Amino acid sequence: MKKMIKNGVIVTAADQYEADLLIENGKITKIGVHLDDAADEVIDVKGAYLFPGGIDPHTHLDMPFGGTVTADDFETGTIAAAFGGTTTVIDFCLTNKGEPLQNAINAWHDKSKNKAVIDYGFHLMIGEVNDAVLEEIPNVIEKEGITSFKVFMAYKNVFQADDATLFRTLLTAKEHGALVMVHAENGDVIDYLVTDALQKGHTDPIYHALTRPPEVEGEATGRAAALTGLANSQLYVVHVSCAEAAHKIAEARQKGFQVWGETCPQYLLLDQNDLEKPDFEGAKYVWSPPLREKWNQDVLWDALKNGQLQTIGSDQCSFNFNGQKDLGKDDFTKIPNGGPIIEDRFSLLFSEGVKKGRISIHQFVDLVSTRSAKLFGLFPQKGTIAVGSDADIVIFDPDKERTISAETHHMNVDYSAFEGVRVTGEPVSVLSRGEFVIRDRRFTGKPGSGQYIKRSRYNSTQTRQAISVQ
Ligand code: URP
Ligand code: ZN
Ligand code: ZN
């Protein structure tokens, strides 16, 4: 089955040009001007942009958390992702202390196998390091193609690992070619501040932010970066929310440490005031790290523009307002942390970033797709439009306007944190390995058609060279 996409404007992290594109067996096999190869189907996109499919490096689908389970599973979550222009997600596989890592991986394969409509991979949580875990890691890399490991420095008594675990994970990752990811907040200090706030009767959602101040994120980020330098290893800091953390990353990079950083649309566009919305609405805006004072947004946009932060993740972790977020009606610590963003990550960044002149269109592609492919061992199979790459393609109308709303989104959740926000630019059609998953804004995919992707090892030299700053 051959498909020809005609009259597109191909936009990658490096180039923008008009061309036709031939797809065979899920791969891009030819790119050129006025191609006249025979094809089973010819799609004239009439000057629309063709972007490489988005890669969301940070999702939590079907994940037990905060006394409940995220509202979007691998089916609804990946359908919503596809509507939003994302064709690959890398989801966090949670492990249980004392159990083989492989048990957790098997459980995540079971959750995703017959459900995902786009391709996916897993990061693996490391909660503790012992001889059994250390022995399993090389096997996980080799056999499962899982080349990134996540250590939580927060969520005391739940996911939090100690510094020895982080350090030994960094050493092991260095040895075997993997990237260590951290949720960087000081969980012990947060635990103290939370206990103190509750003792004083402070139970409203705003106390979620007040008990997790920027200093605890900056401190943990700096600590993780220092340990990375000591181990001569590599680190990726997820969901950077504030100036303190962004500065620690820049400082480490200045010293030549391999420290990479991700931020998310919520930290670029929402702020701490949202937590004070009346009628418990503030619970919709409970993320960890929390939303920050508005001025931090400019620091984060600057860091994206000047290359000190490299990727945009959604941190998709959706909970319904009714029935899940309201678990914390009388106690902010019981509000499940996280929100629904997987569908809007791509459009929000295009609209607020490119259309408003904060980043170039090439930086946009780099941030939503290419850099994640390079950091997480997917490039050049994914993350670009090139001969030999998977035909993961977004046909994008840069001028179409729409309003984000829970009424029209495809996430399985009863609110949107961006309700009423106008965005310019829309993924009109989306192909995953050459098949339409979204066609003219209708879902045409099939649960189970998404493939599990084994990823390549992290290679320091290649990754550093590949991630250039424009
Ligand atoms: O609040 C958040 N970020 N929820 C998802 C879990 C995590 O920490 O990434
Ligand atoms: Zn986190
Ligand atoms: Zn997360």
Side-chain angles (χ1 to χ4, degrees):
M1 180 74 179
K2 288 188 190 180
K3 277 191 186 75
M4 175 79 80
I5 302 184
K6 284 203 93 64
N7 304 316
V9 177
I10 294 174
V11 187
T12 67
D15 298 303
Q16 174 168 342
Y17 57 99
E18 289 174 28
D20 303 336
L21 208 154
L22 187 68
I23 299 169
E24 289 172 83
N25 302 321
K27 299 271 184 201
I28 299 166
T29 53
K30 215 170 186 182
I31 298 175
V33 180
H34 305 311
L35 293 183
D36 56 6
D37 300 59
D40 302 289
E41 188 181 6
V42 177
I43 304 123
D44 184 351
V45 299
K46 301 187 175 74
Y49 284 157
L50 303 180
F51 288 131
I55 298 175
D56 191 337
H58 187 160
T59 68
H60 304 277
L61 300 173
D62 198 358
M63 185 183 85
F65 189 39
T68 181
V69 178
T70 54
D72 283 286
D73 65 9
F74 275 85
E75 184 169 332
T76 63
T78 57
I79 290 173
F83 269 107
T86 291
T87 52
T88 307
V89 297
I90 315 180
D91 198 74
F92 285 95
C93 170
L94 294 186
T95 54
N96 295 314
K97 288 183 186 171
E99 284 184 22
L101 301 176
Q102 191 64 49
N103 288 8
I105 298 167
N106 293 346
W108 242 255
H109 279 305
D110 289 344
K111 284 172 191 283
S112 50
K113 205 169 37 221
N114 298 316
K115 292 199 158 189
V117 308
I118 54 173
D119 292 350
Y120 58 98
F122 303 147
H123 311 289
L124 188 70
M125 172 191 158
I126 301 294
E128 65 177 351
V129 167
N130 53 37
D131 288 348
V133 168
L134 288 177
E135 215 170 282
E136 243 192 306
I137 284 179
N139 202 33
V140 162
I141 294 174
E142 181 65 32
K143 186 170 143 257
E144 294 285 344
I146 294 180
T147 54
S148 42
F149 297 94
K150 167 86 172 282
V151 176
F152 286 93
M153 300 171 80
Y155 302 125
K156 195 171 167 68
N157 300 324
V158 186
F159 300 143
Q160 187 173 329
D162 59 19
D163 287 349
T165 299
L166 173 56
F167 190 58
R168 294 182 75 186
T169 306
L170 284 161
L171 291 169
T172 308
K174 170 76 188 169
E175 189 183 343
H176 296 285
L179 184 57
V180 178
M181 310 170 81
V182 282
H183 173 133
E185 287 185 293
N186 185 321
D188 291 345
V189 173
I190 291 167
D191 188 57
Y192 174 84
L193 294 173
V194 164
T195 307
D196 186 52
L198 289 178
Q199 270 168 5
K200 291 177 175 146
H202 299 321
T203 58
D204 290 343
I206 185 62
Y207 286 96
H208 175 75
L210 300 180
T211 55
R212 308 178 86 100
E215 288 81 357
V216 302
E217 186 183 343
E219 184 279 327
T221 305
R223 184 165 23 116
L227 295 179
T228 302
L230 188 60
N232 190 20
S233 186
Q234 45 264 351
L235 182 76
Y236 176 98
V237 184
V238 300
H239 51 40
V240 173
S241 75
C242 60
E244 277 81 350
H247 291 155
K248 289 291 180 191
I249 291 171
E251 210 175 89
R253 293 171 57 73
Q254 186 73 26
K255 289 182 188 158
F257 298 175
Q258 285 184 75
V259 178
W260 312 101
E262 162 202 282
T263 189
C264 313
Q266 51 272 36
Y267 301 117
L268 293 167
L269 301 169
L270 304 173
D271 67 77
Q272 192 174 302
N273 290 331
D274 289 307
L275 284 148
E276 300 201 82
K277 289 196 172 157
D279 302 322
F280 193 61
E281 289 254 334
K284 294 177 179 174
Y285 303 91
V286 166
W287 278 275
S288 291
L291 300 180
R292 302 300 188 185
E293 287 177 16
K294 202 168 175 55
W295 62 267
N296 287 276
Q297 294 173 358
D298 288 341
V299 177
L300 296 177
W301 280 112
D302 281 351
L304 292 176
K305 193 175 173 62
N306 66 30
Q308 294 304 328
L309 294 175
Q310 291 77 33
T311 66
I312 296 288
S314 68
D315 194 6
Q316 165 75 16
C317 190
S318 57
F319 299 103
N320 283 298
F321 183 59
N322 295 300
Q324 293 190 293
K325 287 279 184 184
D326 56 13
L327 291 168
K329 210 148 186 69
D330 303 314
D331 175 352
F332 72 90
T333 66
K334 298 198 165 59
I335 301 168
N337 292 195
I341 311 274
I342 202 167
E343 187 165 350
D344 301 313
R345 180 187 73 111
F346 196 94
S347 296
L348 281 168
L349 199 74
F350 183 82
S351 189
E352 291 290 326
V354 181
K355 282 285 179 181
K356 294 200 173 163
R358 289 164 160 144
I359 52 172
S360 75
I361 198 162
H362 304 294
Q363 287 177 318
F364 163 76
V365 176
D366 234 349
L367 288 163
V368 298
S369 180
T370 313
R371 288 216 190 101
S372 286
K374 290 175 177 173
L375 284 164
F376 294 110
L378 292 165
F379 192 83
Q381 180 185 354
K382 297 189 182 292
T384 192
I385 293 183
V387 170
S389 294
D390 284 356
D392 292 351
I393 293 164
V394 179
I395 302 172
F396 193 85
D397 177 345
D399 299 315
K400 180 84 196 296
E401 292 191 15
R402 73 187 171 94
T403 303
I404 294 177
S405 173
E407 300 281 305
T408 48
H409 74 197
H410 302 86
M411 295 176 281
N412 184 35
V413 66
D414 61 2
Y415 77 96
S416 168
F418 293 94
E419 187 69 38
V421 171
R422 293 281 294 166
V423 284
T424 307
E426 183 171 68
V428 178
S429 299
V430 177
L431 295 98
S432 164
R433 277 178 288 97
E435 297 300 326
F436 280 100
V437 196
I438 306 296
R439 188 154 197 171
D440 298 324
R441 299 301 298 157
R442 278 187 315 105
F443 176 63
T444 52
K446 202 164 82 315
S449 64
Q451 285 180 5
Y452 175 74
I453 307 287
K454 291 185 183 181
R455 295 179 287 118
S456 307
R457 288 169 202 264
Y458 181 92
N459 177 312
S460 302
T461 317
Q462 270 177 25
T463 308
R464 282 175 128 165
Q465 282 167 354
I467 299 185
S468 59
V469 176
Q470 279 124 22

